[in-house]
Short mmCIF file of all heavy atoms in Angstrom, two decimals:
data_model
loop_
_atom_site.label_atom_id
_atom_site.label_comp_id
_atom_site.label_asym_id
_atom_site.label_seq_id
_atom_site.Cartn_x
_atom_site.Cartn_y
_atom_site.Cartn_z
N MET P 572 -21.31 -5.98 14.02
CA MET P 572 -20.16 -5.60 13.23
C MET P 572 -19.04 -5.14 14.16
O MET P 572 -19.27 -4.29 15.02
CB MET P 572 -20.57 -4.42 12.38
CG MET P 572 -20.48 -4.44 10.87
SD MET P 572 -19.79 -5.79 10.01
CE MET P 572 -18.62 -4.96 9.04
N PRO P 573 -17.83 -5.67 14.00
CA PRO P 573 -16.73 -5.21 14.85
C PRO P 573 -16.25 -3.82 14.43
O PRO P 573 -16.53 -3.36 13.33
CB PRO P 573 -15.65 -6.25 14.63
CG PRO P 573 -15.95 -6.84 13.30
CD PRO P 573 -17.43 -6.77 13.13
N LYS P 574 -15.54 -3.19 15.35
CA LYS P 574 -14.97 -1.88 15.04
C LYS P 574 -13.87 -2.05 14.00
O LYS P 574 -13.23 -3.10 13.92
CB LYS P 574 -14.37 -1.25 16.29
CG LYS P 574 -15.37 -0.88 17.34
CD LYS P 574 -14.65 -0.25 18.51
CE LYS P 574 -15.57 -0.07 19.68
NZ LYS P 574 -14.85 0.41 20.86
N VAL P 575 -13.62 -1.00 13.21
CA VAL P 575 -12.56 -1.00 12.22
C VAL P 575 -11.37 -0.26 12.81
O VAL P 575 -11.55 0.80 13.41
CB VAL P 575 -13.02 -0.29 10.93
CG1 VAL P 575 -11.92 -0.30 9.88
CG2 VAL P 575 -14.27 -0.97 10.39
N LYS P 576 -10.19 -0.83 12.70
CA LYS P 576 -9.01 -0.16 13.24
C LYS P 576 -8.59 0.98 12.33
O LYS P 576 -8.52 0.84 11.12
CB LYS P 576 -7.85 -1.15 13.39
CG LYS P 576 -7.94 -1.99 14.63
CD LYS P 576 -6.60 -2.62 14.93
CE LYS P 576 -6.64 -3.32 16.28
NZ LYS P 576 -5.34 -3.91 16.60
N THR P 577 -8.27 2.11 12.95
CA THR P 577 -7.74 3.25 12.22
C THR P 577 -6.26 3.03 11.96
O THR P 577 -5.53 2.59 12.85
CB THR P 577 -7.92 4.54 13.06
OG1 THR P 577 -9.31 4.75 13.25
CG2 THR P 577 -7.32 5.74 12.36
N ASN P 578 -5.82 3.32 10.76
CA ASN P 578 -4.39 3.28 10.44
C ASN P 578 -3.74 4.49 11.09
O ASN P 578 -4.02 5.64 10.72
CB ASN P 578 -4.21 3.29 8.92
CG ASN P 578 -2.77 3.22 8.51
OD1 ASN P 578 -1.98 4.13 8.80
ND2 ASN P 578 -2.39 2.15 7.83
N ARG P 579 -2.89 4.28 12.10
CA ARG P 579 -2.36 5.37 12.89
C ARG P 579 -1.43 6.27 12.08
O ARG P 579 -1.37 7.48 12.31
CB ARG P 579 -1.60 4.83 14.13
CG ARG P 579 -2.49 4.04 15.08
CD ARG P 579 -3.81 4.72 15.41
NE ARG P 579 -3.63 5.98 16.11
CZ ARG P 579 -4.54 6.92 16.23
NH1 ARG P 579 -5.73 6.77 15.68
NH2 ARG P 579 -4.30 8.02 16.89
N GLY P 580 -0.70 5.72 11.12
CA GLY P 580 0.16 6.54 10.27
C GLY P 580 -0.66 7.50 9.44
O GLY P 580 -0.32 8.68 9.30
N ALA P 581 -1.78 7.02 8.89
CA ALA P 581 -2.65 7.87 8.08
C ALA P 581 -3.35 8.91 8.95
O ALA P 581 -3.54 10.05 8.52
CB ALA P 581 -3.68 7.01 7.35
N ALA P 582 -3.71 8.54 10.17
CA ALA P 582 -4.41 9.47 11.06
C ALA P 582 -3.53 10.68 11.39
O ALA P 582 -4.05 11.77 11.63
CB ALA P 582 -4.82 8.75 12.34
N LYS P 583 -2.23 10.48 11.42
CA LYS P 583 -1.31 11.58 11.73
C LYS P 583 -1.04 12.46 10.51
O LYS P 583 -0.62 13.60 10.65
CB LYS P 583 0.01 11.02 12.25
CG LYS P 583 -0.13 10.34 13.60
CD LYS P 583 1.09 9.53 13.94
CE LYS P 583 0.81 8.65 15.16
NZ LYS P 583 1.90 7.70 15.41
N ARG P 584 -1.29 11.93 9.31
CA ARG P 584 -0.95 12.67 8.09
C ARG P 584 -2.14 13.40 7.46
O ARG P 584 -1.95 14.37 6.74
CB ARG P 584 -0.38 11.70 7.05
CG ARG P 584 1.03 11.26 7.37
CD ARG P 584 1.47 10.15 6.42
NE ARG P 584 2.86 9.83 6.60
CZ ARG P 584 3.36 9.03 7.53
NH1 ARG P 584 2.53 8.47 8.41
NH2 ARG P 584 4.64 8.79 7.61
N PHE P 585 -3.35 12.91 7.70
CA PHE P 585 -4.51 13.48 7.03
C PHE P 585 -5.53 13.97 8.05
O PHE P 585 -5.62 13.45 9.15
CB PHE P 585 -5.19 12.42 6.15
CG PHE P 585 -4.28 11.83 5.11
CD1 PHE P 585 -3.80 10.54 5.24
CD2 PHE P 585 -3.91 12.56 4.00
CE1 PHE P 585 -2.96 9.99 4.30
CE2 PHE P 585 -3.07 12.02 3.04
CZ PHE P 585 -2.59 10.74 3.19
N ARG P 586 -6.31 14.99 7.66
CA ARG P 586 -7.43 15.45 8.48
C ARG P 586 -8.54 15.90 7.54
O ARG P 586 -8.27 16.30 6.41
CB ARG P 586 -7.01 16.55 9.44
CG ARG P 586 -6.35 17.74 8.80
CD ARG P 586 -5.58 18.54 9.83
NE ARG P 586 -4.91 19.67 9.21
CZ ARG P 586 -3.72 19.61 8.60
NH1 ARG P 586 -3.09 18.45 8.52
NH2 ARG P 586 -3.17 20.67 8.07
N LYS P 587 -9.75 15.86 8.05
CA LYS P 587 -10.90 16.22 7.24
C LYS P 587 -11.18 17.71 7.32
O LYS P 587 -10.96 18.34 8.36
CB LYS P 587 -12.14 15.46 7.71
CG LYS P 587 -12.35 14.14 7.03
CD LYS P 587 -13.72 13.61 7.36
CE LYS P 587 -13.94 12.28 6.67
NZ LYS P 587 -15.19 11.66 7.12
N THR P 588 -11.69 18.27 6.23
CA THR P 588 -12.12 19.66 6.22
C THR P 588 -13.59 19.70 6.63
O THR P 588 -14.23 18.66 6.80
CB THR P 588 -11.99 20.27 4.81
OG1 THR P 588 -12.84 19.55 3.92
CG2 THR P 588 -10.55 20.20 4.31
N GLY P 589 -14.13 20.89 6.75
CA GLY P 589 -15.53 21.02 7.12
C GLY P 589 -16.48 20.47 6.09
O GLY P 589 -17.59 20.03 6.41
N THR P 590 -16.05 20.45 4.82
CA THR P 590 -16.93 19.95 3.75
C THR P 590 -16.73 18.46 3.49
O THR P 590 -17.36 17.90 2.60
CB THR P 590 -16.67 20.72 2.44
OG1 THR P 590 -15.28 20.63 2.11
CG2 THR P 590 -17.07 22.17 2.58
N GLY P 591 -15.80 17.83 4.24
CA GLY P 591 -15.61 16.40 4.08
C GLY P 591 -14.46 15.99 3.20
O GLY P 591 -14.19 14.80 3.04
N ARG P 592 -13.78 16.97 2.58
CA ARG P 592 -12.60 16.63 1.79
C ARG P 592 -11.46 16.30 2.75
O ARG P 592 -11.56 16.54 3.96
CB ARG P 592 -12.17 17.81 0.91
CG ARG P 592 -13.17 18.30 -0.12
CD ARG P 592 -13.39 17.40 -1.31
NE ARG P 592 -12.19 17.00 -2.02
CZ ARG P 592 -11.64 17.65 -3.05
NH1 ARG P 592 -12.18 18.77 -3.48
NH2 ARG P 592 -10.57 17.18 -3.65
N ILE P 593 -10.33 15.80 2.22
CA ILE P 593 -9.21 15.42 3.07
C ILE P 593 -8.02 16.32 2.78
O ILE P 593 -7.63 16.48 1.62
CB ILE P 593 -8.83 13.94 2.84
CG1 ILE P 593 -10.04 13.06 3.15
CG2 ILE P 593 -7.66 13.54 3.72
CD1 ILE P 593 -9.86 11.64 2.77
N ARG P 594 -7.46 16.90 3.84
CA ARG P 594 -6.29 17.78 3.71
C ARG P 594 -5.03 16.97 3.97
O ARG P 594 -5.03 16.00 4.71
CB ARG P 594 -6.35 18.92 4.73
CG ARG P 594 -7.34 19.99 4.35
CD ARG P 594 -7.28 21.19 5.25
NE ARG P 594 -5.99 21.84 5.29
CZ ARG P 594 -5.52 22.66 4.35
NH1 ARG P 594 -6.26 22.93 3.29
NH2 ARG P 594 -4.35 23.23 4.46
N ARG P 595 -3.94 17.42 3.33
CA ARG P 595 -2.64 16.78 3.54
C ARG P 595 -1.57 17.85 3.50
O ARG P 595 -1.79 18.95 2.98
CB ARG P 595 -2.37 15.74 2.46
CG ARG P 595 -2.17 16.35 1.07
CD ARG P 595 -1.70 15.33 0.05
NE ARG P 595 -1.58 15.92 -1.28
CZ ARG P 595 -0.51 16.55 -1.73
NH1 ARG P 595 0.54 16.71 -0.95
NH2 ARG P 595 -0.48 17.04 -2.95
N ASN P 596 -0.40 17.52 4.06
CA ASN P 596 0.75 18.40 3.95
C ASN P 596 1.58 17.99 2.75
O ASN P 596 1.53 16.84 2.31
CB ASN P 596 1.61 18.32 5.22
CG ASN P 596 0.91 18.94 6.40
OD1 ASN P 596 0.23 19.94 6.27
ND2 ASN P 596 1.06 18.34 7.57
N LYS P 597 2.34 18.92 2.21
CA LYS P 597 3.16 18.62 1.05
C LYS P 597 4.46 17.95 1.47
O LYS P 597 4.93 18.12 2.60
CB LYS P 597 3.46 19.91 0.29
CG LYS P 597 2.23 20.49 -0.37
CD LYS P 597 2.55 21.71 -1.19
CE LYS P 597 1.30 22.29 -1.81
NZ LYS P 597 1.57 23.56 -2.47
N ALA P 598 5.03 17.18 0.56
CA ALA P 598 6.28 16.47 0.82
C ALA P 598 7.48 17.37 0.49
O ALA P 598 7.31 18.50 0.05
CB ALA P 598 6.32 15.20 -0.04
N TYR P 599 8.67 16.84 0.71
CA TYR P 599 9.94 17.50 0.38
C TYR P 599 10.22 18.73 1.25
O TYR P 599 10.78 19.71 0.78
CB TYR P 599 9.99 17.90 -1.11
CG TYR P 599 9.70 16.75 -2.03
CD1 TYR P 599 8.51 16.70 -2.75
CD2 TYR P 599 10.59 15.70 -2.16
CE1 TYR P 599 8.24 15.64 -3.59
CE2 TYR P 599 10.33 14.63 -2.99
CZ TYR P 599 9.15 14.61 -3.70
OH TYR P 599 8.87 13.55 -4.52
N THR P 600 9.84 18.69 2.53
CA THR P 600 10.09 19.84 3.39
C THR P 600 11.04 19.53 4.54
O THR P 600 11.31 20.41 5.36
CB THR P 600 8.77 20.34 4.02
OG1 THR P 600 8.18 19.27 4.77
CG2 THR P 600 7.80 20.80 2.96
N SER P 601 11.53 18.31 4.65
CA SER P 601 12.23 17.94 5.87
C SER P 601 13.75 18.13 5.82
O SER P 601 14.35 18.46 6.84
CB SER P 601 11.91 16.50 6.25
OG SER P 601 12.17 15.63 5.17
N HIS P 602 14.39 17.90 4.69
CA HIS P 602 15.85 18.07 4.64
C HIS P 602 16.29 18.41 3.22
O HIS P 602 15.46 18.46 2.31
CB HIS P 602 16.58 16.82 5.16
CG HIS P 602 16.23 15.57 4.41
ND1 HIS P 602 16.90 15.13 3.32
CD2 HIS P 602 15.24 14.67 4.62
CE1 HIS P 602 16.37 14.00 2.88
NE2 HIS P 602 15.36 13.71 3.64
N ILE P 603 17.57 18.68 3.05
CA ILE P 603 18.16 19.17 1.79
C ILE P 603 17.41 20.42 1.34
O ILE P 603 16.92 20.52 0.21
CB ILE P 603 18.16 18.09 0.68
CG1 ILE P 603 18.63 16.75 1.23
CG2 ILE P 603 19.06 18.50 -0.46
CD1 ILE P 603 18.57 15.60 0.24
N LEU P 604 17.30 21.39 2.25
CA LEU P 604 16.55 22.60 1.96
C LEU P 604 17.40 23.70 1.34
O LEU P 604 16.86 24.68 0.83
CB LEU P 604 15.89 23.12 3.25
CG LEU P 604 14.87 22.17 3.88
CD1 LEU P 604 14.45 22.67 5.23
CD2 LEU P 604 13.67 21.99 2.98
N THR P 605 18.73 23.55 1.37
CA THR P 605 19.59 24.63 0.89
C THR P 605 19.47 24.85 -0.61
O THR P 605 19.56 25.97 -1.08
CB THR P 605 21.06 24.34 1.25
OG1 THR P 605 21.37 23.01 0.84
CG2 THR P 605 21.28 24.47 2.74
N LYS P 606 19.24 23.79 -1.35
CA LYS P 606 19.15 23.93 -2.81
C LYS P 606 17.76 24.34 -3.28
O LYS P 606 17.58 24.64 -4.45
CB LYS P 606 19.59 22.64 -3.51
CG LYS P 606 18.73 21.44 -3.20
CD LYS P 606 19.15 20.23 -4.02
CE LYS P 606 20.35 19.53 -3.41
NZ LYS P 606 20.63 18.24 -4.01
N LYS P 607 16.79 24.33 -2.38
CA LYS P 607 15.43 24.73 -2.75
C LYS P 607 15.28 26.24 -2.57
O LYS P 607 15.77 26.81 -1.60
CB LYS P 607 14.40 23.99 -1.90
CG LYS P 607 14.41 22.49 -2.18
CD LYS P 607 13.59 21.71 -1.21
CE LYS P 607 13.81 20.22 -1.46
NZ LYS P 607 13.64 19.42 -0.28
N THR P 608 14.57 26.86 -3.50
CA THR P 608 14.41 28.31 -3.44
C THR P 608 13.46 28.68 -2.30
O THR P 608 12.64 27.88 -1.86
CB THR P 608 13.83 28.86 -4.76
OG1 THR P 608 12.52 28.32 -4.93
CG2 THR P 608 14.70 28.49 -5.94
N THR P 609 13.57 29.92 -1.84
CA THR P 609 12.71 30.41 -0.77
C THR P 609 11.25 30.33 -1.18
O THR P 609 10.39 29.95 -0.39
CB THR P 609 13.09 31.86 -0.42
OG1 THR P 609 14.48 31.92 -0.18
CG2 THR P 609 12.36 32.34 0.80
N LYS P 610 10.98 30.67 -2.44
CA LYS P 610 9.60 30.63 -2.94
C LYS P 610 9.05 29.20 -2.91
O LYS P 610 7.90 28.98 -2.51
CB LYS P 610 9.57 31.19 -4.36
CG LYS P 610 8.18 31.20 -4.97
CD LYS P 610 8.21 31.73 -6.39
CE LYS P 610 6.83 31.67 -7.01
NZ LYS P 610 6.84 32.15 -8.40
N ARG P 611 9.89 28.25 -3.29
CA ARG P 611 9.45 26.85 -3.31
C ARG P 611 9.19 26.35 -1.89
O ARG P 611 8.18 25.68 -1.63
CB ARG P 611 10.53 26.01 -3.98
CG ARG P 611 10.20 24.54 -4.09
CD ARG P 611 11.28 23.82 -4.88
NE ARG P 611 11.19 22.39 -4.71
CZ ARG P 611 12.15 21.55 -5.04
NH1 ARG P 611 13.28 22.00 -5.56
NH2 ARG P 611 12.01 20.25 -4.87
N LYS P 612 10.08 26.69 -0.95
CA LYS P 612 9.89 26.26 0.43
C LYS P 612 8.65 26.90 1.05
O LYS P 612 7.92 26.26 1.81
CB LYS P 612 11.14 26.61 1.27
CG LYS P 612 12.34 25.73 0.93
CD LYS P 612 13.50 26.01 1.85
CE LYS P 612 14.25 27.24 1.46
NZ LYS P 612 15.54 27.37 2.17
N ARG P 613 8.39 28.15 0.71
CA ARG P 613 7.22 28.85 1.22
C ARG P 613 5.94 28.18 0.70
O ARG P 613 4.96 28.02 1.42
CB ARG P 613 7.29 30.31 0.81
CG ARG P 613 6.24 31.21 1.43
CD ARG P 613 6.55 32.67 1.22
NE ARG P 613 6.67 33.02 -0.19
CZ ARG P 613 7.79 33.52 -0.75
NH1 ARG P 613 8.88 33.72 -0.02
NH2 ARG P 613 7.82 33.81 -2.02
N ASP P 614 5.96 27.77 -0.57
CA ASP P 614 4.80 27.10 -1.17
C ASP P 614 4.57 25.72 -0.55
O ASP P 614 3.43 25.29 -0.40
CB ASP P 614 5.00 26.97 -2.68
CG ASP P 614 3.81 26.32 -3.36
OD1 ASP P 614 2.68 26.85 -3.18
OD2 ASP P 614 3.97 25.29 -4.03
N LEU P 615 5.65 25.05 -0.16
CA LEU P 615 5.53 23.72 0.43
C LEU P 615 4.90 23.76 1.83
O LEU P 615 4.38 22.76 2.30
CB LEU P 615 6.91 23.05 0.50
CG LEU P 615 7.50 22.60 -0.84
CD1 LEU P 615 8.94 22.17 -0.65
CD2 LEU P 615 6.68 21.47 -1.45
N ARG P 616 4.96 24.92 2.49
CA ARG P 616 4.36 25.05 3.82
C ARG P 616 2.84 24.96 3.78
O ARG P 616 2.21 24.55 4.75
CB ARG P 616 4.73 26.40 4.45
CG ARG P 616 6.07 26.42 5.10
CD ARG P 616 6.27 27.75 5.81
NE ARG P 616 7.55 28.32 5.43
CZ ARG P 616 7.78 29.60 5.14
NH1 ARG P 616 6.79 30.48 5.17
NH2 ARG P 616 8.97 30.02 4.82
N GLN P 617 2.25 25.36 2.67
CA GLN P 617 0.79 25.38 2.56
C GLN P 617 0.27 23.96 2.36
O GLN P 617 0.79 23.20 1.56
CB GLN P 617 0.36 26.23 1.36
CG GLN P 617 0.92 27.63 1.34
CD GLN P 617 0.54 28.41 2.58
OE1 GLN P 617 -0.62 28.40 2.97
NE2 GLN P 617 1.50 29.07 3.19
N GLY P 618 -0.78 23.61 3.11
CA GLY P 618 -1.41 22.32 2.92
C GLY P 618 -2.22 22.33 1.62
O GLY P 618 -2.45 23.37 1.03
N THR P 619 -2.65 21.16 1.21
CA THR P 619 -3.45 21.05 0.00
C THR P 619 -4.45 19.91 0.17
O THR P 619 -4.36 19.15 1.14
CB THR P 619 -2.55 20.83 -1.23
OG1 THR P 619 -3.36 20.84 -2.40
CG2 THR P 619 -1.78 19.53 -1.17
N LEU P 620 -5.37 19.79 -0.75
CA LEU P 620 -6.37 18.74 -0.68
C LEU P 620 -5.86 17.48 -1.39
O LEU P 620 -5.11 17.56 -2.36
CB LEU P 620 -7.67 19.19 -1.33
CG LEU P 620 -8.41 20.32 -0.62
CD1 LEU P 620 -9.60 20.76 -1.45
CD2 LEU P 620 -8.85 19.92 0.76
N VAL P 621 -6.29 16.34 -0.88
CA VAL P 621 -5.97 15.07 -1.51
C VAL P 621 -6.77 14.97 -2.80
O VAL P 621 -7.91 15.44 -2.89
CB VAL P 621 -6.34 13.92 -0.54
CG1 VAL P 621 -6.34 12.57 -1.23
CG2 VAL P 621 -5.39 13.92 0.64
N HIS P 622 -6.19 14.36 -3.82
CA HIS P 622 -6.85 14.20 -5.10
C HIS P 622 -8.08 13.30 -4.95
O HIS P 622 -8.10 12.37 -4.14
CB HIS P 622 -5.88 13.59 -6.12
CG HIS P 622 -6.33 13.76 -7.52
ND1 HIS P 622 -7.16 12.85 -8.15
CD2 HIS P 622 -6.08 14.72 -8.44
CE1 HIS P 622 -7.41 13.26 -9.39
NE2 HIS P 622 -6.76 14.40 -9.59
N LYS P 623 -9.12 13.61 -5.73
CA LYS P 623 -10.38 12.86 -5.66
C LYS P 623 -10.18 11.35 -5.83
O LYS P 623 -10.84 10.55 -5.18
CB LYS P 623 -11.33 13.34 -6.76
CG LYS P 623 -12.25 14.46 -6.32
CD LYS P 623 -13.42 13.91 -5.52
CE LYS P 623 -14.52 14.93 -5.40
NZ LYS P 623 -15.43 14.61 -4.30
N ALA P 624 -9.25 10.96 -6.71
CA ALA P 624 -9.03 9.54 -6.99
C ALA P 624 -8.49 8.80 -5.77
O ALA P 624 -8.69 7.59 -5.65
CB ALA P 624 -8.08 9.39 -8.16
N ASP P 625 -7.80 9.50 -4.87
CA ASP P 625 -7.20 8.87 -3.69
C ASP P 625 -8.08 8.95 -2.45
O ASP P 625 -7.81 8.27 -1.46
CB ASP P 625 -5.85 9.53 -3.38
CG ASP P 625 -4.90 9.43 -4.55
OD1 ASP P 625 -4.86 8.37 -5.20
OD2 ASP P 625 -4.19 10.41 -4.81
N GLU P 626 -9.12 9.77 -2.49
CA GLU P 626 -9.92 10.02 -1.29
C GLU P 626 -10.56 8.75 -0.73
O GLU P 626 -10.54 8.54 0.48
CB GLU P 626 -11.01 11.05 -1.59
CG GLU P 626 -10.61 12.44 -1.25
CD GLU P 626 -11.76 13.44 -1.38
OE1 GLU P 626 -12.94 13.02 -1.42
OE2 GLU P 626 -11.46 14.63 -1.44
N ARG P 627 -11.10 7.91 -1.58
CA ARG P 627 -11.80 6.71 -1.10
C ARG P 627 -10.86 5.79 -0.34
O ARG P 627 -11.21 5.25 0.72
CB ARG P 627 -12.43 5.99 -2.29
CG ARG P 627 -13.31 4.84 -1.88
CD ARG P 627 -14.22 4.41 -3.03
NE ARG P 627 -14.68 3.05 -2.77
CZ ARG P 627 -14.28 1.99 -3.49
NH1 ARG P 627 -13.47 2.14 -4.50
NH2 ARG P 627 -14.73 0.80 -3.19
N ASN P 628 -9.63 5.61 -0.86
CA ASN P 628 -8.67 4.74 -0.19
C ASN P 628 -8.27 5.30 1.17
O ASN P 628 -8.12 4.55 2.14
CB ASN P 628 -7.42 4.57 -1.06
CG ASN P 628 -7.71 3.77 -2.31
OD1 ASN P 628 -8.59 2.91 -2.31
ND2 ASN P 628 -6.99 4.04 -3.38
N ILE P 629 -8.07 6.61 1.25
CA ILE P 629 -7.66 7.22 2.51
C ILE P 629 -8.79 7.17 3.53
O ILE P 629 -8.55 6.93 4.72
CB ILE P 629 -7.16 8.66 2.27
CG1 ILE P 629 -5.88 8.61 1.45
CG2 ILE P 629 -6.93 9.39 3.57
CD1 ILE P 629 -5.44 9.92 0.88
N LEU P 630 -10.02 7.35 3.09
CA LEU P 630 -11.16 7.27 4.00
C LEU P 630 -11.30 5.88 4.62
O LEU P 630 -11.78 5.75 5.74
CB LEU P 630 -12.45 7.66 3.28
CG LEU P 630 -12.66 9.15 3.07
CD1 LEU P 630 -13.84 9.42 2.16
CD2 LEU P 630 -12.84 9.87 4.40
N GLN P 631 -10.86 4.85 3.92
CA GLN P 631 -10.89 3.50 4.48
C GLN P 631 -9.83 3.36 5.58
O GLN P 631 -10.02 2.59 6.52
CB GLN P 631 -10.66 2.47 3.39
CG GLN P 631 -11.84 2.30 2.47
CD GLN P 631 -11.58 1.32 1.34
OE1 GLN P 631 -10.43 1.03 1.00
NE2 GLN P 631 -12.64 0.80 0.75
N LEU P 632 -8.73 4.10 5.47
CA LEU P 632 -7.68 4.05 6.48
C LEU P 632 -8.06 4.83 7.74
O LEU P 632 -7.62 4.49 8.84
CB LEU P 632 -6.37 4.62 5.91
CG LEU P 632 -5.74 3.87 4.74
CD1 LEU P 632 -4.55 4.63 4.22
CD2 LEU P 632 -5.34 2.46 5.15
N ILE P 633 -8.85 5.89 7.57
CA ILE P 633 -9.25 6.72 8.72
C ILE P 633 -10.78 6.77 8.82
O ILE P 633 -11.39 7.81 8.58
CB ILE P 633 -8.64 8.12 8.63
CG1 ILE P 633 -8.85 8.75 7.24
CG2 ILE P 633 -7.18 8.12 8.98
CD1 ILE P 633 -8.47 10.20 7.15
N PRO P 634 -11.43 5.66 9.18
CA PRO P 634 -12.89 5.60 9.14
C PRO P 634 -13.59 6.52 10.14
O PRO P 634 -14.72 6.93 9.91
CB PRO P 634 -13.19 4.14 9.46
CG PRO P 634 -12.00 3.65 10.19
CD PRO P 634 -10.84 4.41 9.64
N TYR P 635 -12.95 6.88 11.25
CA TYR P 635 -13.64 7.63 12.30
C TYR P 635 -13.21 9.10 12.38
O TYR P 635 -13.66 9.81 13.26
CB TYR P 635 -13.43 6.96 13.66
CG TYR P 635 -13.93 5.53 13.64
CD1 TYR P 635 -13.03 4.47 13.70
CD2 TYR P 635 -15.28 5.26 13.55
CE1 TYR P 635 -13.49 3.17 13.66
CE2 TYR P 635 -15.75 3.95 13.51
CZ TYR P 635 -14.84 2.91 13.57
OH TYR P 635 -15.30 1.62 13.53
N LEU P 636 -12.34 9.56 11.50
CA LEU P 636 -11.93 10.95 11.54
C LEU P 636 -12.93 11.84 10.83
O LEU P 636 -13.66 11.44 9.99
CB LEU P 636 -10.56 11.11 10.89
CG LEU P 636 -9.44 11.20 11.91
CD1 LEU P 636 -9.04 9.81 12.35
CD2 LEU P 636 -8.26 11.90 11.34
#
């Protein structure tokens, strides 16, 4: 069986937790921040878990992580 190539874009965006779930960063943090409230920006800093329905697809993109 040949090796499977890792999707490099996905490898930079996702990482696995100790229990095997996939962590991701939240979107909407890069620009146009003046109209967003401090509370909203603070909440966007926290990472979150990928939804169960998307996990299988992402695991195919990052087979060795």
Side-chain angles (χ1 to χ4, degrees):
M572 238 356 233
K574 293 181 189 174
V575 181
K576 279 197 172 181
T577 297
N578 181 295
R579 298 312 297 163
K583 293 166 191 172
R584 286 172 173 82
F585 303 107
R586 55 199 178 276
K587 269 191 180 173
T588 62
T590 56
R592 299 288 308 270
I593 301 171
R594 284 187 59 79
R595 68 172 177 86
N596 290 323
K597 292 183 181 173
Y599 307 110
T600 59
S601 54
H602 57 90
I603 315 176
L604 297 171
T605 49
K606 63 175 81 169
K607 294 170 187 152
T608 64
T609 308
K610 181 181 177 181
R611 181 175 164 195
K612 289 185 280 192
R613 188 168 58 241
D614 182 56
L615 288 171
R616 277 186 230 138
Q617 307 301 313
T619 184
L620 293 174
V621 167
H622 197 272
K623 269 280 196 199
D625 301 320
E626 266 187 18
R627 187 163 160 250
N628 291 330
I629 293 167
L630 282 171
Q631 287 177 340
L632 297 174
I633 49 171
Y635 302 110
L636 260 83

